[in-house]
Amino acid sequence: MSRLDDVRQKLRASLDARGPIWVEPPVLQPAAVYLELSGEEIRRRAFLIDDASHGALCLRPDMTAPAVRVAFDLPKLPPLVAYEGLVFRRQAPGSERESEFTQIGAEWLGKGEMDASGEAQVIAAALEGARAAGVEARVKLGDFAILAGFVAALGLDEPWPARVVRALSRTGGLAALRVEKSAASQDEGAGLAEALATLSPEHAEAALNDLLAHARITPVGGRPIAEIARRLQQRGKLAAAAPPNAAQYDLLDQLTHIEAADGLDRVAKLAESKLLKNRAPAEAAIAKARARLDALKGALPKSFSFAPGLGRTLAYYDGFVFELEAPTLGDRASLGGGGRYDGLARALWNGRGDAPSLYAAGFALRPLRLAEAAS
């Protein structure tokens, strides 16, 4: 038996001990979810296919979303699904990283809330899988909920909180937002946008309809009036709202650059800043992260760090995140990782009736790299 086959069997056996349902998602996946949640980053890295019958498709760039879609189509939602399959990602010319590789992993799904001990089990399961393969990985832990908690605590004017959170979910997003040109009140259409911003969505749509009818303008294209009104309202609110100031941007920048074994303590120190108008959201996220770390005592290796700004390649994680690494592999050090993605789960539930209160978390490991790290 080859070393790779041995690692694959040990990874599957490690997951089997937790009693999952194994699923085999299709290789071709709808691209819309990936494009909506990960934007241009996934457009650059995914193998996209235009299909006249099914719209935009892609070769699955990961196994998480495909596995969850299969799980949601089952007669009863399973608490745990596992999978093994190929994923496909474009790489830059000259890169040593693989464009096609196997992932083995699992996803925890349910209705209601997932507490800190449940989240810790996901991380512990990934570590058990790596150790079963003979690798003691270096671990990086992060938590996007902490970033979102700090944004909420700053008390920014609407619609800035959502814009800042979106920026934080993407590499370099905060820096790009910081230098973005401010919405100018003199821009064409700014007066209409600001006027509509003061109305309810229903009244804004009606006012826009009346304006178009009075001007005898017939809309062309497929965009509904309601969507046009909503976009104009957002533009008007943005023009009227004060953006984050330099000190607030600096605080968030400091937060995203923390990476240390005592990283969570450093985060807690930042939460004492007088810039936070309401510390409760930040303190709640920190408390859950601390409870998660406490639940992981004895499972974490000595080589670990806490980095709230830790980002995954696919930017749909909205809670804790983690990465397992083998530094001896250099540029290919990542062995896999995962995190929590309630928002993605709700998006994938779309069309299946009323969306329940869903939680979702999981991980995927790369058996080839584990085999290389163990040799």
Side-chain angles (χ1 to χ4, degrees):
M1 178 186 301
S2 70
R3 178 62 185 163
L4 176 58
D5 286 338
D6 181 56
V7 166
R8 289 179 51 251
Q9 288 191 13
K10 287 177 177 177
L11 281 178
R12 292 180 68 100
S14 177
L15 288 173
D16 276 335
R18 296 178 177 271
I21 292 178
W22 287 84
V23 295
E24 297 183 10
V27 172
L28 278 178
Q29 293 288 316
V33 170
Y34 292 107
L35 294 173
E36 179 179 347
L37 294 175
S38 295
E40 290 306 310
E41 172 65 16
I42 196 60
R43 186 183 298 277
R44 181 176 64 84
R45 301 201 62 190
F47 290 94
L48 297 173
I49 302 167
D50 288 325
D51 184 276
S53 301
H54 301 91
L57 301 173
C58 65
L59 299 179
R60 58 191 183 203
D62 81 329
M63 291 291 288
T64 297
V68 173
R69 292 181 70 236
V70 172
F72 284 170
D73 285 336
L74 295 175
K76 182 179 179 181
L77 181 65
L80 179 62
V81 295
Y83 49 78
E84 176 179 0
L86 286 171
V87 299
F88 308 86
R89 295 180 193 168
R90 292 182 186 272
Q91 304 296 344
S95 172
E96 294 183 1
R97 299 182 180 183
E98 304 88 342
S99 294
E100 175 184 325
F101 55 89
T102 297
Q103 286 185 338
I104 296 178
E107 311 297 332
W108 281 253
L109 307 167
K111 300 177 182 179
E113 181 52 44
M114 188 181 211
D115 60 19
S117 62
E119 293 181 340
Q121 286 184 29
V122 178
I123 302 170
L127 286 167
E128 288 173 11
R131 286 169 179 147
V135 178
E136 186 67 17
R138 182 174 68 184
V139 181
K140 290 183 181 180
L141 302 176
D143 196 338
F144 193 77
I146 285 179
L147 301 184
F150 267 75
V151 173
L154 286 173
L156 302 173
D157 293 340
E158 293 293 343
W160 278 101
R163 298 191 83 220
V164 174
V165 167
R166 281 197 302 272
L168 286 168
S169 72
R170 291 171 170 81
T171 303
L174 187 66
L177 184 63
R178 188 168 189 167
V179 300
E180 184 178 270
K181 181 182 177 182
S182 299
S185 59
Q186 292 79 18
D187 286 349
E188 183 180 354
L192 174 60
E194 291 180 11
L196 293 178
T198 64
L199 305 177
S200 69
E202 294 78 11
H203 287 162
E205 181 182 353
L208 184 58
N209 263 318
D210 289 345
L211 178 63
L212 293 175
H214 182 72
R216 297 182 178 180
I217 297 173
T218 302
V220 295
R223 182 172 294 175
I225 295 296
E227 182 182 347
I228 296 173
R230 179 178 60 82
R231 288 174 179 263
L232 285 170
Q233 282 192 298
Q234 290 175 341
R235 181 180 168 190
K237 289 177 181 177
L238 183 61
N245 59 42
Q248 291 169 330
Y249 272 123
D250 287 343
L251 179 68
L252 294 175
D253 190 57
Q254 290 179 59
L255 185 64
T256 60
H257 282 86
I258 290 174
E259 183 178 330
D262 65 344
L264 189 55
D265 292 333
R266 300 187 189 189
V267 170
K269 187 68 176 176
L270 278 183
E272 298 173 4
S273 170
K274 294 180 180 179
L275 292 171
L276 302 186
K277 296 180 180 179
N278 174 19
R279 295 176 182 165
E283 290 174 344
I286 292 168
K288 185 165 187 180
R290 200 173 295 283
R292 190 186 310 120
L293 275 178
D294 289 342
L296 280 167
K297 282 182 177 176
L300 284 176
K302 293 181 180 179
S303 179
F304 88 93
S305 60
F306 188 86
L310 175 66
R312 302 283 294 138
T313 303
L314 301 172
Y316 49 61
Y317 292 94
D318 48 27
F320 77 95
V321 292
F322 67 98
E323 189 90 26
L324 305 189
E325 295 181 338
T328 56
L329 297 184
D331 187 48
R332 300 168 60 254
S334 177
L335 303 172
R340 186 160 176 178
Y341 51 92
D342 295 4
L344 173 63
R346 289 192 292 270
L348 294 173
W349 187 270
N350 186 36
R352 293 175 169 84
D354 293 337
S357 176
L358 291 168
Y359 68 77
F363 70 88
L365 298 177
R366 300 173 67 156
L368 177 59
R369 290 191 183 177
L370 281 166
E372 292 174 351
S375 60

